[in-house]
Amino acid sequence: MSLYFVTILTNMTLISFIAISAYLILIVGEVSFGQQAFFGIGAYITATLTTLLGLDIVIALFFSFMVSASFALVLSVLTIRLSGFYFAVASLSFAELFRLSLYKIEYTVETNSGTVGPNGPEGFQNIRWIFENNVSPDNFLVIAVSSLLALIILLIFMENSKLFKNARLVGKDQIVAQSIGIRPFFYRVGFITLAGGVAGFGGGLFALFNTYIEPSMFGIMLGVHGLAYSIIGGLGYPLGPLIGVFIDIGLLESVRFLSEYRMILFGGLVAAILIIFPEGIISPRLISRIKRKLVKKTNA
Amino acid sequence: MLKIKNIGKNFGGVKAVDDLSFNVDKGEIVGLIGPNGSGKSTTINLICGVFPVDFGNISVNEQNISSLPTHERVASGISRTFQNIRLFKDLSVWQNIWVALQQDSDQSSGWMREWFGNSKLQKEKIKEILVFSGLGDRFDDLAGNLSFGEQRRLELARAIASKPKLILLDEPAAGMNSDEVADLRQRILDLKKLGLTVLLVEHVMELVMNVVDRIVVLNFGKKIAEGSPENIQNNKDVQKAYLGGA
Ligand SMILES: Nc1ncnc2c1ncn2[C@@H]1O[C@H](COP(=O)(O)OP(=O)(O)OP(=O)(O)O)[C@@H](O)[C@H]1O
Ligand SMILES: [Mg+2]
């Protein structure tokens, strides 16, 4: 595979983590404009742990997940009384607060591979894990894709669990969910936390792949894209967000003559898709229709 | 079994429920009536904990539930239907019952199984509830494809699935023709036979007067009368309230 192609595939894989994290929050009926912050937290954590402490990638990514999830947990508890656009604005404020703080955080150390550590607006340079471990772009793609695949398989498996079923009921109608005995806050907090962790994990991989990160990478447009991917992909099934990613980066960016116009085309495409599929391409309705067909077949 | 003591709820300047007290005894069917906007639905929402009371006390079987979250009130035996039908319309009829059955903590089989495992189907139980509710032949249909009357029955079936001791019905007869009302009346009496306690909010007097043991009348959030159906029919204050002269 050409390097160009490998890079596009890796980018698609990494941004899928944000799309899935947006999806997890949409499932419980909220909209977050702040998932880029958890991606950023994860990126800075993995960058710090691999360069400054020389920790193993598995441990670094684990901490990226945990720390981002902890921030998301705090955010979800603080915003427990907010929903709808109030929550959306709160999540965005948190994300901007995080991004702007990054400009102020400076802690650098000189190593043989150069200056490392968060360095305010300069960002975090020289994340040399890929080079130090001789990980080729192809190999990195394998790591990223297998992580994403593991996540997707886990989510598909979990779709049938009471945890996910109840979460979807809370997302559909919180009042009814409550009045059949479901504890809505548990699902809200749980899914926002999980979403934070997933974004953080992806951010960790992103830091390793990109070899440097800076505050401006974690602006609102990143989160908005993640959101758009999961909305056009649909909330019916964990593969939905990937469809959104594929349409934007896979089709628009990789086709060279389109890539210049990608932002314009994507905006139009989102509108067009939502006119044709108001609930996204893989909508919950579509999934329940397919399931009912399958059940009828097995019964017949 | 249900004791409501001096409860109140304000929405901005509106006193939706104002210093309201009444009791519902075990096995009783009590009607809660009143003109539009008199606070009937708000009373149900307060009993279920959709929002908290501003003051006063609600207890069920001597347990003060005023500050419990809704799901705990459900667990303690309260369930309800909604004035504007609220079903999971893109789920099938049986799934609408199933989701309620699944919340029953007695079914628990360890938290790992409970949260992460595939959930048990309980088809017989679902069938039984649907047959009892007159929806036996609608098992596989989408809830959204049911007729209006059937959707009301499904809401009632879902409320029963939570194994309540007290069931709160918010205008279950709204929009029904008189055959359907007669059918509903029989269903409410069936609930009573099962030992359930019922609080019935209703405008359709044909139903209220023929099914309840006792009536509480609200106007502007306040109780203006309480008594047997005959008593209430002859009550001057009630007549005035309904004619808008209060
Ligand atoms: N969530 C709310 N926010 C603000 N005001 C509310 C809310 N719910 C009810 N109200 C107001 O409280 C008052 C009582 O409303 P409620 O719905 O309890 O009346 P009701 O007796 O059920 O009337 P109806 O017979 O029309 O159903 C009304 O003035 C209504 O506008
Ligand atoms: Mg009402």
Side-chain angles (χ1 to χ4, degrees), chain B residues 41 83 170-171:
Chain B
S41 296
Q83 181 170 351
D170 198 348
E171 302 200 18

Side-chain angles (χ1 to χ4, degrees), chain B:
Chain B
M1 101 162 274
L2 171 69
K3 290 202 169 103
I4 292 181
K5 246 191 180 154
N6 309 104
I7 61 167
K9 182 76 194 174
N10 298 326
F11 291 113
V14 181
K15 287 182 173 170
V17 172
D18 188 9
D19 199 26
L20 174 65
S21 303
F22 68 91
N23 293 341
V24 181
D25 294 331
K26 188 171 176 341
E28 218 183 356
I29 303 178
V30 170
L32 182 61
I33 66 171
N36 287 326
S38 56
K40 305 177 300 292
S41 296
T42 304
T43 304
I44 287 194
N45 285 330
L46 290 173
I47 298 171
C48 291
V50 173
F51 24 70
V53 290
D54 289 342
F55 49 85
N57 249 309
I58 301 171
S59 62
V60 170
N61 291 329
E62 308 303 325
Q63 186 203 1
N64 183 353
I65 59 162
S66 315
S67 54
L68 293 184
T70 301
H71 67 271
E72 284 180 36
R73 300 190 197 200
V74 176
S76 78
I78 301 178
S79 78
R80 70 172 297 179
T81 65
F82 294 87
Q83 181 170 351
N84 309 307
I85 300 175
R86 293 178 95 140
L87 292 166
F88 295 116
K89 297 217 161 97
D90 54 351
L91 298 185
S92 58
V93 168
W94 70 266
Q95 282 171 325
N96 268 277
I97 303 302
W98 183 41
V99 294
L101 280 177
Q102 270 203 287
Q103 311 309 327
D104 186 354
S105 46
D106 298 346
Q107 300 284 329
S108 162
S109 46
W111 72 272
M112 275 298 275
R113 262 298 278 289
E114 162 128 19
W115 294 111
F116 299 107
N118 267 334
S119 7
K120 265 190 295 177
L121 254 182
Q122 302 174 282
K123 280 227 167 166
E124 290 79 52
K125 182 83 199 153
I126 297 171
K127 196 110 211 179
E128 186 189 319
I129 293 172
L130 286 177
V131 169
F132 176 81
S133 309
L135 289 167
D137 52 340
R138 299 300 242 154
F139 195 85
D140 274 322
D141 291 307
L142 271 191
N145 292 345
L146 297 185
S147 73
F148 182 78
E150 286 171 325
Q151 293 197 2
R152 285 237 177 259
R153 272 185 254 161
L154 181 54
E155 260 215 340
L156 188 57
R158 180 179 67 197
I160 297 169
S162 311
K163 292 200 197 131
K165 301 188 188 83
L166 169 66
I167 192 161
L168 314 169
L169 307 176
D170 198 348
E171 302 200 18
M176 285 187 169
N177 64 34
S178 65
D179 284 349
E180 288 170 321
V181 170
D183 174 75
L184 176 63
R185 174 175 173 273
Q186 198 48 52
R187 294 187 188 284
I188 295 175
L189 290 173
D190 287 346
L191 295 180
K192 183 177 179 166
K193 263 189 227 142
L194 290 176
L196 291 184
T197 309
V198 180
L199 180 64
L200 171 67
V201 166
E202 193 51 80
H203 279 299
V204 178
M205 290 304 144
E206 174 193 352
L207 174 64
V208 180
M209 295 302 168
N210 291 314
V211 76
V212 302
D213 301 308
R214 200 150 52 80
I215 295 179
V216 173
V217 189
L218 292 185
N219 197 20
F220 294 112
K222 280 188 188 299
K223 181 166 86 179
I224 57 166
E226 178 170 356
S228 68
E230 300 77 45
N231 265 330
I232 294 299
Q233 269 171 318
N234 301 322
N235 185 305
K236 289 271 163 352
D237 290 337
V238 175
Q239 289 168 355
K240 256 205 297 193
Y242 268 91
L243 295 173

